[in-house]
């Protein structure tokens, strides 16, 4: 099993050779023009065309051009192959084209073409209500566990000091702010949330996605009364946090501007494929791409 940063070459090989095989498996609401934006994060910042604008290590790109009223006019991506081309070569295929705010052409720079450390899509959507997603992160579980294991304050509650004192930094995967047992617990929590959705909300369409360092849990049914607006999401946050004591990130649930990791994208910090999973017994070792050199 490989648990490390992917190299530039491995990232490109994944999106060139392996990722295209998964496109047909994407959830039906993730299309070229459904999510309002796609976003890409880079390990190293990349220049834009306009000299006065800071280099970018994270960019969002709209899927549609809009008029002054916010209505759609022209799609930025004709099909999902255009999205894939943008992921593979974000500067060369920047939807902003030759705008001064587009990424600079690597052919006129000494800096190489940027590679995506992470690929995201917007939970805000053109064709359906705002996608409801609950985020459970192994890092949060590890911090909570460290505070239980270390009774006294350490360096004024410095997270790294707590994790180190609890032995988490030395546990596999060494050097990461969590242990594999924290990822396994996040996955277990994810399926607990799915059961709550199905039992308490009568949800028929749910999905648990392994995110590389935790899980995303989707509730995809449409709520006819509220369309899962801000208020109903706050109620859901309170239910999961206070009634069920599940360590979710409540900001993700409630923030319409959030992006989520694209299913089947590569979590390049840990060499894992982000993917829907069917069981809490999911083995994270099975998520290592074929192109990763172990």
């Amino acid at each position: 099993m490989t648990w490390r940063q992917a190299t530039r070459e491995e990232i490109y090989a994944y999106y060139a050779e392996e990722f295209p095989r998964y496109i047909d498996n994407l959830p039906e609401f993730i299309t070229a023009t459904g999510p309002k934006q796609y976003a890409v994060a880079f390990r190293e910042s990349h220049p834009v065309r306009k000299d006065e604008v800071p280099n970018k290590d994270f960019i969002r790109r709209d899927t549609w051009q809009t008029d002054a009223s916010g209505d759609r006019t022209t799609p930025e991506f004709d099909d999902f192959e255009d999205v894939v081309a943008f992921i593979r070569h974000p500067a060369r295929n920047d939807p902003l084209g030759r705008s001064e705010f587009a990424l600079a052409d690597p052919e006129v720079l000494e800096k190489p073409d940027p590679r995506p450390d992470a690929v995201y899509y917007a939970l805000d959507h053109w064709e359906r209500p705002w996608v409801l997603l609950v985020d459970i992160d192994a890092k949060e579980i590890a911090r909570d566990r460290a505070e239980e294991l270390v009774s006294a304050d350490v360096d004024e509650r410095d997270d790294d000091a707590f994790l180190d004192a609890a032995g988490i930094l030395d546990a596999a995967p060494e050097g990461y702010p969590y242990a594999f047992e924290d990822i396994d617990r996040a996955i277990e929590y994810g399926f607990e949330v799915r059961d709550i959705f199905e039992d308490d909300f009568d949800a028929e369409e749910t999905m648990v996605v392994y995110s590389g360092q935790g899980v995303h849990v989707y509730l995809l049914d449409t709520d006819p009364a509220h369309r899962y607006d801000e208020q109903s999401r706050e109620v859901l946050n309170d239910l999961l946090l206070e009634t069920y004591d599940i360590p979710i990130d409540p900001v993700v649930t409630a923030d319409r501007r959030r992006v989520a990791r694209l299913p089947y994208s590569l979590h390049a910090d840990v060499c894992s494929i982000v993917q829907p999973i069917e069981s809490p017994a999911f083995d994270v070792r099975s998520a290592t791409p074929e192109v990763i050199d172990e």
Side-chain angles (χ1 to χ4, degrees):
M1 178 185 184
T2 298
W3 202 269
R4 58 165 173 79
Q5 277 195 334
T7 66
R8 282 177 51 83
E9 294 74 20
E10 289 168 335
I11 292 169
Y12 179 76
Y14 178 74
Y15 287 109
E17 302 170 19
E18 200 164 340
F19 178 70
R21 288 185 248 155
Y22 296 118
I23 291 174
D24 290 341
N25 297 333
L26 284 168
E28 62 180 12
F29 62 89
I30 301 180
T31 63
T33 55
K36 290 192 174 181
Q37 293 180 325
Y38 282 96
V40 179
F42 308 127
R43 192 169 300 169
E44 297 180 359
S45 57
H46 189 82
V48 298
R49 292 176 180 270
K50 187 175 177 63
D51 289 340
E52 296 82 5
V53 177
N55 296 353
K56 302 294 185 182
D57 60 8
F58 179 83
I59 59 171
R60 292 174 179 253
R61 294 295 182 261
D62 294 338
T63 57
W64 285 85
Q65 296 177 22
T66 56
D67 60 22
S69 300
D71 294 326
R72 289 176 285 178
T73 56
T74 307
E76 294 288 6
F77 303 104
D78 290 333
D79 52 40
F80 207 81
E81 288 301 321
D82 288 345
V83 178
V84 175
F86 168 56
I87 293 169
R88 286 179 185 159
H89 297 287
R92 186 187 308 169
N93 298 306
D94 193 333
L96 293 183
R98 300 192 64 82
S99 160
E100 60 184 4
F101 296 104
L103 295 174
D105 186 344
E107 291 186 4
V108 302
L109 301 171
E110 294 182 0
K111 201 173 183 68
D113 194 11
R115 294 283 183 258
D117 247 27
V119 179
Y120 305 92
Y121 74 98
L123 296 177
D124 208 3
H125 202 278
W126 284 111
E127 304 293 345
R128 55 166 293 136
W130 174 18
V131 177
L132 197 160
L133 178 150
V134 170
D135 179 43
I136 304 173
D137 195 326
K139 294 188 290 293
E140 297 298 327
I141 294 172
R143 276 196 285 269
D144 291 345
R145 186 162 63 89
E147 291 191 6
E148 292 178 0
L149 293 171
V150 181
S151 57
D153 285 349
V154 177
D155 292 343
E156 298 181 352
R157 297 181 62 81
D158 175 81
D159 279 346
D160 284 346
F162 262 102
L163 296 175
D164 189 38
I168 291 172
L169 295 182
D170 291 330
E174 292 82 356
Y176 284 83
Y178 51 79
F180 282 127
E181 67 178 272
D182 300 306
I183 298 178
D184 291 341
R185 186 66 184 110
I187 292 171
E188 292 171 0
Y189 276 131
F191 282 91
E192 290 179 28
V193 172
R194 187 196 66 175
D195 290 343
I196 292 167
F197 285 165
E198 293 176 352
D199 295 342
D200 292 10
F201 293 82
D202 295 325
E204 296 181 356
E205 191 176 1
T206 61
M207 182 170 62
V208 180
V209 173
Y210 165 63
S211 64
Q213 297 182 122
V215 292
H216 297 154
V217 190
Y218 290 80
L219 198 168
L220 297 170
D221 294 37
T222 297
D223 170 18
H226 307 102
R227 295 169 67 88
Y228 291 118
D229 59 10
E230 286 87 346
Q231 185 174 1
S232 60
R233 288 162 186 260
E234 293 292 352
V235 172
L236 174 61
N237 278 338
D238 291 343
L239 175 72
L240 294 177
L241 286 166
E242 297 175 11
T243 303
Y244 289 100
D245 198 26
I246 294 177
I248 68 168
D249 182 342
V251 176
V252 173
T253 313
D255 184 359
R256 193 178 197 105
R257 286 279 298 166
R258 297 298 287 204
V259 295
R261 286 185 182 271
L262 180 67
Y264 303 106
S265 65
L266 179 66
H267 193 310
D269 285 343
V270 296
C271 291
S272 275
I273 301 172
V274 176
Q275 60 189 277
I277 58 177
E278 299 297 330
S279 166
F282 175 75
D283 184 353
V284 298
R285 290 174 293 187
S286 67
T288 304
E290 297 172 6
V291 299
I292 297 297
D293 183 9
E294 299 193 49

